[in-house]
């Protein structure tokens, strides 16, 4: 019997351990003639800052392109909030955020916008977004602002 096969043992190749992170799961089935998802707006990479002061937003009026991120920066010494005009209080905003995940729903409660904190939201749907701080204003008066998304 020959027992000289040992020489072949050195030929192992150790590259078979690829991690398999192929991008194949992002492929979308094409060939259909309805275009349901093709018009989805994505973030455009632009970021615009709104300063949250005591007690106003600057700028008060802001016009942005759809897909822009607006970053609210609390530069004041007090808590503020950012409530869409459709809600009356932090509690109503919390409920709205919990029950409606459409892209037009946004805002942040005062306990999460203390001095030095930031809140960012990417506006993915054109429209007019009036907002206010319920501590220092009411819709359209006092501490309020408007974002127009085009
Ligand atoms: Cu305020």
């Amino acid at each position: 019997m020959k027992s000289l096969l040992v020489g072949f043992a050195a030929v192992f190749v150790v590259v078979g351990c690829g991690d398999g992170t192929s991008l194949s799961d992002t492929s979308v089935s094409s060939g259909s003639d309805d275009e349901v998802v093709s018009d989805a707006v994505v973030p455009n990479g632009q970021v615009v800052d709104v300063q949250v002061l005591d007690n106003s937003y600057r700028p008060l009026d802001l016009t942005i392109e759809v897909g822009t991120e607006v970053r609210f920066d609390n530069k004041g010494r007090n808590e503020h909030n950012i409530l869409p005009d459709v809600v009356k209080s932090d509690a109503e905003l919390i409920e709205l955020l919990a029950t409606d995940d459409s892209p037009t729903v946004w805002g942040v409660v005062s306990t999460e916008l203390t001095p030095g904190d930031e809140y960012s939201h990417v506006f993915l749907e054109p429209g007019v977004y009036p907002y206010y701080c319920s501590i220092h204003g009411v819709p359209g008066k006092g501490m309020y602002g408007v974002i127009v998304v085009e």
Side-chain angles (χ1 to χ4, degrees):
M1 284 291 200
K2 294 183 181 178
S3 56
L4 297 178
L5 299 174
V6 181
F8 291 104
V11 196
F12 284 133
V13 181
V14 198
V15 290
C17 299
D19 58 8
T21 54
S22 77
L23 298 176
S24 60
D25 59 348
T26 61
S27 65
V28 182
S29 65
S30 55
S32 169
D33 50 350
D34 77 289
E35 46 187 39
V36 177
V37 293
S38 60
D39 287 337
V41 175
V42 296
N44 64 19
Q46 295 183 50
V47 180
V48 176
D49 286 307
V50 171
Q51 294 183 41
V52 180
L53 305 171
D54 302 324
N55 294 316
S56 62
Y57 304 101
R58 186 183 300 167
L60 189 158
D61 291 300
L62 178 63
T63 299
I64 58 173
E65 289 176 30
V66 68
T68 299
E69 175 181 342
V70 178
R71 189 168 55 201
F72 295 87
D73 191 1
N74 187 350
K75 292 190 175 297
R77 294 184 171 189
N78 300 305
E79 285 187 358
H80 299 283
N81 56 20
I82 299 165
L83 305 184
D85 278 9
V86 292
V87 298
K88 292 193 180 78
S89 65
D90 281 348
E92 282 191 24
L93 177 63
I94 290 170
E95 185 175 345
L96 182 67
L97 292 170
T99 56
D100 187 341
D101 62 354
S102 60
T104 57
V105 174
W106 67 294
V108 65
V109 299
S110 49
T111 52
E112 292 169 10
L113 198 68
T114 56
D117 280 348
E118 286 183 2
Y119 166 70
S120 279
H121 181 74
V122 180
F123 289 85
L124 295 176
E125 196 153 299
V128 178
Y129 297 81
Y131 63 95
Y132 70 105
C133 172
S134 68
I135 306 169
H136 308 106
V138 295
K141 259 188 175 180
M143 188 170 179
Y144 75 101
V146 180
I147 294 172
V148 177
V149 181
E150 298 180 330

